[in-house]
Amino acid sequence: MSDTFQGFGESIHFGKNPAVLVVDFINGFTDESCDLGSNLDEEVSHTKRLLDIARSRRLPILFTTVVYEPHYLDGGHFIEKVPALKCLLQDSGWVDLDERLERRENEEPLIEKKFASSFFGTSLHSILAYKNIDTLIITGCTTSGCIRATVVDALQYGYKAIVPKECVGDRSEKAHHSNLYDIQTKYGEVVAVEDVGNYLKTI
């Protein structure tokens, strides 16, 4: 049975006003000593190089983290399904951004979320609309969870969702590749980070 279906997987071309979104590259996910963590060194490194280009062009950059209160009511059934998330408390250190990304606090918003999508229950859509963004470059982790959910919502909110494949990762290689396939087939555009970098340099 072929994995190619007629009427699926057409190209979404880059728009004119991009922003870069870094999803959950926090210590809890990039430090292997955490139950949530995995080795994402290469993905963080590729993302940092992309951020350097975006910063040189003065393009909008946004970050997300996941933070829960000690009662965990704000996590609802998500916490029941993934109890490993309980470590993501405000003062735990696990919710802090990976320092290798060198976030500029006065210029690059940090959005706190509770669930997979970076849009659900957050100010992300409002910020992007205010900046007249039409293209969202989505990096971070994990491909099968927060990346996929964010891409789907980006599409539903009217943004061109672009995923540089070297800039996203997952603790499961199988889940990583299957979700990149689904994103490319139905929801966004999965491209090489070099192509994204070259595009940003034209803005």
Side-chain angles (χ1 to χ4, degrees), residues 24-26 29-32 37-45 98 100 140-142 168-171:
D24 297 353
F25 267 161
I26 58 178
F29 290 104
T30 64
D31 186 334
E32 292 182 271
S38 59
N39 187 339
L40 297 171
D41 290 349
E42 290 189 10
E43 291 83 355
V44 169
S45 179
D98 192 307
R100 292 174 291 182
C141 64
T142 60
V168 294
D170 198 293
R171 62 186 61 86

Side-chain angles (χ1 to χ4, degrees), residues 24 26-32 34-40 43 78 82 84-85 87-88 140-146 168-177:
D24 297 353
I26 58 178
N27 294 333
F29 290 104
T30 64
D31 186 334
E32 292 182 271
C34 180
D35 289 343
L36 294 167
S38 59
N39 187 339
L40 297 171
E43 291 83 355
F78 196 22
V82 189
L85 292 168
C87 70
L88 299 179
C141 64
T142 60
T143 314
S144 61
C146 299
V168 294
D170 198 293
R171 62 186 61 86
S172 165
E173 184 176 356
K174 180 179 180 181
H176 171 72
H177 290 292

Side-chain angles (χ1 to χ4, degrees), residues 14-100:
F14 294 111
K16 296 181 179 180
N17 298 307
V20 179
L21 176 66
V22 184
V23 179
D24 297 353
F25 267 161
I26 58 178
N27 294 333
F29 290 104
T30 64
D31 186 334
E32 292 182 271
S33 68
C34 180
D35 289 343
L36 294 167
S38 59
N39 187 339
L40 297 171
D41 290 349
E42 290 189 10
E43 291 83 355
V44 169
S45 179
H46 282 295
T47 299
K48 175 56 167 60
R49 287 195 287 271
L50 200 63
L51 293 177
D52 288 342
I53 296 172
R55 286 165 179 152
S56 72
R57 311 300 295 179
R58 301 188 64 79
L59 299 175
I61 295 170
L62 305 95
F63 293 83
T64 72
T65 184
V66 183
V67 182
Y68 297 110
E69 296 183 9
H71 50 68
Y72 297 116
L73 293 174
D74 47 347
H77 296 301
F78 196 22
I79 294 288
E80 293 180 20
K81 190 66 177 178
V82 189
L85 292 168
K86 287 185 175 181
C87 70
L88 299 179
L89 295 170
Q90 183 66 59
D91 298 322
S92 65
W94 295 126
V95 303
D96 296 339
L97 292 176
D98 192 307
E99 291 184 352
R100 292 174 291 182

